[in-house]
Amino acid sequence: MKVEQLVEPDRVHKHVYTDQAIFDAEMEKIWERTWVYCGHESQVKASGDYYAVTIGRQPMIMVRQGDSSVQVLYNRCPHRGVQLVGNLHGNTGTSFVCSYHAWSFHLNGTVRAIPLAKGYEGTRMTRDNPDCGMKRAARVDSYRGFVFASLVDEGPSLTEFLGEARIAFDDMCDRSPVGEVEVVPVCHRVMQHSNWKFFMENQLDALHPSVTHQSTGISAGRVEKRIKAERGSAPLYYHYLSTFASSFEQWDAVQTINFPYGHGILKAYMGLRPQDPDTLEHEALLVKAYGAERAEEYLSRSIHHVLVYPYLSVQSPLQQLRCLRPIAPNKTQSEIWHFRLKGAPEATYRRSLWYYNLVNSPATMINADDLENWAKGQWGLQSNGGDWVSFHRWYGDDREENGVTYSNHGTSEVVMRNQFRAWTQYMLA
Amino acid sequence: MNKIPSSAPQAIPNAGPDFERLLGQEVVIEATQGSALTGAQSIEPDHSPRASQAGSSAQVRQLPRAGILSRTSAEADVQREVEQFLYLQAELLDSKHWQAWIDLFDAQGVYWMPVMPEQIEWEGSPSIFAEDKLMMEIRKGRVSHPNAWSQAPMWETNHLVSHVALESVSDTEICVRSRFHMMELRRDSVRHFGGRYQHTLIRGNDGALRIRLQRVDMFNGQASFDYVLQIWV
C-alpha cells in the first residue's frame, strides 16, 4: 500500500505500526533526515568525552572537541568499518584509535595516523583523501545546551524545526536562576515492545491516565488522604501519583496545542507552586535573577509534556525527558534522563527526583501499565481483526490558526491526527 | 552449476621447486623486547591518554572481607537466625504475601535499589526503587487492585539467597550482606536479576529482627530493562 492510502484524516491503517518496509522507510525519510536529539552538552564536559547515540539506524558518537565545541561522528573506522568506540560513554583522550589496525583519528574525525602509511602510496586511500577520516553528521546544532544532529545537508534549521516546541527547553532552563541545566549522569533504559508511535501518541493522550493508571492513582490517593488527615498536608510526590486517577472531565478540560512537524503540548498545571519555604526560596531566586514579571511568566506556564516529534517527550517543569530510539517495527528503546537546575535549591531538585524515581524509573508504578498497553496494542494491530486505527474523538472540533491546531478538549485525538499529518509530509517528501 | 566430482579428485598442480623455497624460514616474528614499541605504539606512542575502560575497573570497589566467623554456639545461632530471616524475606516475595513482607520492616524501614554501587544515600539519589513504608503501601495497593492491568499475565518469581556474611553484630543492630538470584516469569518469558543484598537489621524490644534498610544492588541495574519491575526484588 502507498503512504497516501495508509493515512486518512480520521484514521490510519495498521501497517504504519507493523510493516517492516514502512519502518525502513521511516528510518530513511524521517529519522535519518530530520534533526534528532543526541544529548545534553553536560554529558560530554571535558575534551574527549563521548557518548554513543543512535540516529535512525546509524551508530553515532557525540564527542567534545579540544575547542569545546561538540561534534557528532559516525562510529565507524573508514578502513574496514569497525566501530571505534565499543561502549556507551567514556573519554577517548585526544584521539579515537581503532582496535583492529590502529588507524587513529582526531576528535573532529580527521585522520591522525595510518599504520604502515607507505603501503597506501599510489592508492586512492591516502591521508589527503577525506574518506580517510571518520564521516561526520551533516549538521550539528544545539539549543540551550541540548544537542541535535541531522544526517543530511538540506532541510530546515534546528530552530525552524523546533518552532514553538522549543518552549520545552526554555521552560526547563528558565526555571534555573542562571538559565542553565545540567544532566544527572544516570540514564535509565527501558525497552518497549511496541512501535515508537504508541509512545508518542500516548504522551498527549489525556483520556488514558484515569483508565490505565487507576490502580496506582487510587492506591496513592488513599495514602495521600490519610497523610493529609494526620499531618494537614502531604508531600507533593503523593500528588504525582494520585493525580493519575482524576476524572475524565478534569482531563478533558486540559488543552492540547499541536504544532507543525508533529510537535505538541499537553497543558496542565501540576500544582508545583505550594507555598512551602523551599518553593518560595526558589521563586525568590528567580525574581532576583529575572525580575518579578518574567519570573512570574516562567513559573506560571501550564505545561505537562512537550513533544518534539518523533522521538522526545519533555516534562519541562520537572526537568526530565524521555527519548526514543526505534529498533524494529515492534521494538523501541527509550532513554530516560533528568536534569538539575543550575543555581536552584537542592529541594527543587529533590522534588523533581521523586517524579523520576516513581514514574520514570525501571520500577515505575505508572509506565508498567503503559508498556503493557503498548505491547498488547502492537499484538492487536498485527492481527487480522481489523485494518484501521481510529482517531475520531472530537474529530471536526479542531481549530487551526497559523498552522497551529487547537482543540477545546484535552482528550481530543487531534494529537494523533496532527502527528500523522507531519508523518505523511515526511514520508511523501 | 558446478557439479561436485564424484570420481577421483583432480591432482593439485605442482608448484615446483620455487614454491618450496617460498616456504623457507626467513622472518621470525617475536614479541617486542624490553622498551621497544609495539606496532600500535609506533604510530600512537602515548596511545592517547584516556580513561580506563568502563568494563575493566572504572569504579574502585571495596575489597570484600569474609563474614564474621561464629566461634561460639551463640554466635552460630545469630548466623542461622539471620539466614532464616533473609530466606523468609525472599519467600514472602515469591509467595506474594505483600503485607507480611512489608511487616518485616521497622517503622523507619526503607527499601532501596540504587542505580550504581557508589551511591550511599537513599534520599536525593536517582534510584530504581526508593521506598519507605508508605510508598510500599501504595505499591502493594497498586498490584492488588483488580484493574492493575499489567498484573493480568501469568507472573511468578523465584529467589535464591546465598553467601550470607555477617559484617557487624551488636545486641540491637546487625549488618549483613548476601547475594541473590531472582528468576522472573512473565507471560512465557523468563528474565534474570542478580546482585547483592545489604541489610541493616534492628532487634526490637520483643527480640525479633526487623529491617531498617534493605539495599539491593543489582548487577544488571544499569542494563536496558526489557519491561520494568513491578514488585520489590
Side-chain angles (χ1 to χ4, degrees):
Chain A
M1 279 172 91
K2 287 185 173 167
V3 166
E4 299 93 311
Q5 296 169 303
L6 295 170
V7 179
E8 297 181 8
D10 57 341
R11 63 177 193 173
V12 297
H13 194 273
K14 65 181 183 181
H15 277 175
V16 303
Y17 299 85
T18 60
D19 187 79
Q20 183 69 46
I22 293 282
F23 180 83
D24 293 341
E26 287 175 339
M27 292 299 105
E28 187 189 325
K29 290 171 180 287
I30 307 178
W31 298 77
E32 293 168 11
R33 296 187 65 80
T34 197
W35 289 97
V36 170
Y37 180 61
C38 296
H40 191 262
E41 281 176 2
S42 57
Q43 284 171 239
V44 287
K45 276 187 186 160
S47 172
D49 281 356
Y50 68 85
Y51 234 99
V53 57
T54 306
I55 297 181
R57 296 158 297 189
Q58 309 304 318
M60 310 296 291
I61 311 167
M62 174 174 76
V63 57
R64 178 74 69 169
Q65 308 291 297
D67 67 1
S68 87
S69 64
V70 173
Q71 191 59 262
V72 178
L73 309 166
Y74 283 78
N75 185 8
R76 180 193 189 278
C77 178
H79 175 219
R80 297 268 283 275
V82 170
Q83 294 200 343
L84 286 160
V85 300
N87 53 344
L88 279 175
H89 58 97
N91 183 288
T92 191
T94 54
S95 62
F96 293 104
V97 181
C98 183
S99 59
Y100 200 5
H101 300 101
W103 282 51
S104 67
F105 307 89
H106 297 289
L107 296 178
N108 65 6
T110 56
V111 68
R112 175 162 162 165
I114 302 174
L116 302 177
K118 249 176 116 71
Y120 291 87
E121 282 173 14
T123 76
R124 55 179 150 179
M125 203 61 174
T126 48
R127 59 178 304 134
D128 53 328
N129 180 347
D131 288 348
C132 268
M134 295 163 70
K135 191 176 168 184
R136 292 186 210 177
R139 292 181 294 167
V140 179
D141 202 353
S142 71
Y143 184 74
R144 300 200 75 165
F146 295 84
V147 181
F148 295 76
S150 161
L151 300 184
V152 294
D153 284 313
E154 68 272 21
S157 68
L158 176 62
T159 38
E160 285 165 345
F161 164 76
L162 289 175
E164 298 293 336
R166 68 184 184 279
I167 190 75
F169 311 108
D170 288 334
D171 185 42
M172 208 190 285
C173 297
D174 290 344
R175 289 167 190 273
S176 148
V178 295
E180 284 177 41
V181 296
E182 180 167 29
V183 77
V184 178
V186 164
C187 177
H188 294 312
R189 289 174 298 145
V190 175
M191 195 68 80
Q192 305 170 354
H193 288 272
S194 47
N195 190 270
W196 58 270
K197 292 188 261 331
F198 271 101
F199 174 85
M200 294 307 283
E201 291 162 10
N202 185 82
Q203 289 309 95
L204 301 194
D205 181 320
L207 187 62
H208 90 279
S210 57
V211 181
T212 302
H213 306 302
Q214 56 180 290
S215 60
T216 301
I218 289 167
S219 180
R222 206 160 41 214
V223 173
E224 184 186 27
K225 203 172 154 188
R226 202 177 70 223
I227 298 171
K228 277 184 176 165
E230 286 168 9
R231 307 184 204 163
S233 69
L236 208 52
Y237 47 84
Y238 294 101
H239 172 71
Y240 294 157
L241 296 176
S242 64
T243 192
F244 280 91
S246 306
S247 67
F248 285 156
E249 287 70 25
Q250 271 182 290
W251 284 105
D252 198 45
V254 170
Q255 216 184 20
T256 62
I257 310 172
N258 301 281
F259 298 114
Y261 294 105
H263 310 324
I265 294 177
L266 174 64
K267 291 175 69 173
Y269 175 60
M270 293 272 293
L272 290 177
R273 298 181 70 183
Q275 296 299 295
D276 62 283
D278 294 332
T279 307
L280 295 176
E281 185 196 346
H282 179 215
E283 296 195 355
L285 283 169
L286 294 189
V287 169
K288 199 176 161 198
Y290 302 114
E293 201 175 317
R294 274 169 71 200
E296 187 55 31
E297 179 201 327
Y298 297 161
L299 287 161
S300 59
R301 284 181 186 135
S302 172
I303 293 177
H304 189 64
H305 282 116
V306 183
L307 286 196
V308 177
Y309 191 77
Y311 49 78
L312 211 56
S313 169
V314 184
Q315 204 150 15
S316 47
L318 290 165
Q319 309 121 245
Q320 37 214 292
L321 64 80
R322 280 175 277 176
C323 183
L324 298 184
R325 311 287 178 192
I327 291 168
N330 60 355
K331 205 172 178 191
T332 307
Q333 178 75 268
S334 65
E335 299 171 354
I336 308 159
W337 293 97
H338 74 300
F339 300 85
R340 277 179 186 273
L341 302 173
K342 277 195 184 170
E346 172 72 11
T348 310
Y349 167 68
R350 292 198 173 195
R351 192 168 74 180
S352 65
L353 178 67
W354 273 104
Y355 198 92
Y356 187 75
N357 285 345
L358 290 172
V359 176
N360 279 327
S361 95
T364 164
M365 286 196 260
I366 298 298
N367 297 324
D369 292 302
D370 286 323
L371 290 156
E372 174 73 3
N373 273 351
W374 308 333
K376 289 193 297 186
Q378 188 72 26
W379 296 330
L381 294 186
Q382 285 165 3
S383 81
N384 292 333
D387 288 338
W388 295 94
V389 178
S390 156
F391 295 132
H392 295 88
R393 197 167 51 250
W394 301 114
Y395 181 63
D397 181 64
D398 306 351
R399 184 161 44 82
E400 193 177 323
E401 289 165 26
N402 303 322
V404 180
T405 313
Y406 302 88
S407 169
N408 292 323
H409 298 280
T411 64
S412 172
E413 282 164 340
V414 63
V415 170
M416 300 77 185
R417 296 190 288 267
N418 186 60
Q419 290 181 5
F420 272 103
R421 190 152 61 164
W423 186 88
T424 308
Q425 282 163 2
Y426 274 120
M427 295 293 276
L428 292 178
Chain B
M1 233 169 91
N2 293 326
K3 281 178 78 176
I4 298 165
S6 55
S7 56
Q10 283 184 307
I12 296 168
N14 190 345
D18 286 349
F19 179 67
E20 297 292 327
R21 256 201 305 283
L22 269 174
L23 283 182
Q25 286 185 358
E26 289 168 358
V27 180
V28 178
I29 301 171
E30 287 174 344
T32 305
Q33 298 295 317
S35 59
L37 297 176
T38 67
Q41 284 168 334
S42 70
I43 63 157
E44 190 74 14
D46 58 354
H47 222 269
S48 187
R50 66 171 68 79
S52 65
Q53 304 287 349
S56 57
S57 181
Q59 313 102 4
V60 179
R61 296 190 185 166
Q62 218 180 352
L63 186 68
R65 291 174 301 139
I68 295 172
L69 197 63
S70 307
R71 298 192 185 278
T72 64
S73 71
E75 285 172 355
D77 286 347
V78 173
Q79 169 83 25
R80 278 198 294 272
E81 182 191 13
V82 169
E83 285 172 2
Q84 293 302 320
F85 185 87
L86 296 182
Y87 301 157
L88 177 66
Q89 182 273 140
E91 275 194 288
L92 289 175
L93 288 178
D94 290 339
S95 58
K96 304 184 183 180
H97 285 93
W98 311 132
Q99 190 56 53
W101 181 84
I102 293 171
D103 290 342
L104 293 180
F105 287 77
D106 90 331
Q108 293 104 59
V110 166
Y111 178 88
W112 183 34
M113 185 186 286
V115 182
M116 293 172 290
E118 305 89 284
Q119 290 174 287
I120 47 172
E121 287 285 339
W122 83 276
E123 279 184 301
S125 297
S127 306
I128 299 170
F129 288 85
E131 300 186 1
D132 59 12
K133 288 189 92 168
L134 288 168
M135 206 47 81
M136 292 177 201
E137 187 183 335
I138 294 178
R139 188 176 291 277
K140 180 200 125 190
R142 176 188 115 66
V143 296
S144 310
H145 192 279
N147 287 348
W149 311 107
S150 57
Q151 285 286 304
M154 177 164 64
W155 176 73
E156 301 291 338
T157 61
N158 187 70
H159 284 75
L160 291 178
V161 178
S162 75
H163 305 18
V164 179
L166 294 175
E167 294 189 327
S168 68
V169 177
S170 76
D171 290 342
T172 53
E173 188 183 285
I174 296 172
C175 293
V176 55
R177 67 172 198 270
S178 57
R179 299 202 81 90
F180 67 88
H181 176 206
M182 182 188 87
M183 293 167 72
E184 182 214 57
L185 174 76
R186 184 174 153 78
R187 288 205 168 82
D188 288 326
S189 309
V190 171
R191 293 193 295 175
H192 292 265
F193 297 92
R196 181 179 60 173
Y197 282 144
Q198 281 174 287
H199 283 90
T200 304
L201 305 175
I202 301 293
R203 196 180 295 283
N205 293 332
D206 59 354
L209 293 175
R210 294 271 186 281
I211 303 170
R212 176 62 56 86
L213 173 67
Q214 175 160 337
R215 176 184 172 138
V216 185
D217 286 277
M218 286 214 300
F219 89 107
N220 45 353
Q222 281 189 87
S224 173
F225 280 74
D226 195 67
Y227 193 61
V228 293
L229 290 163
Q230 296 193 61
I231 272 292
W232 312 281
V233 174

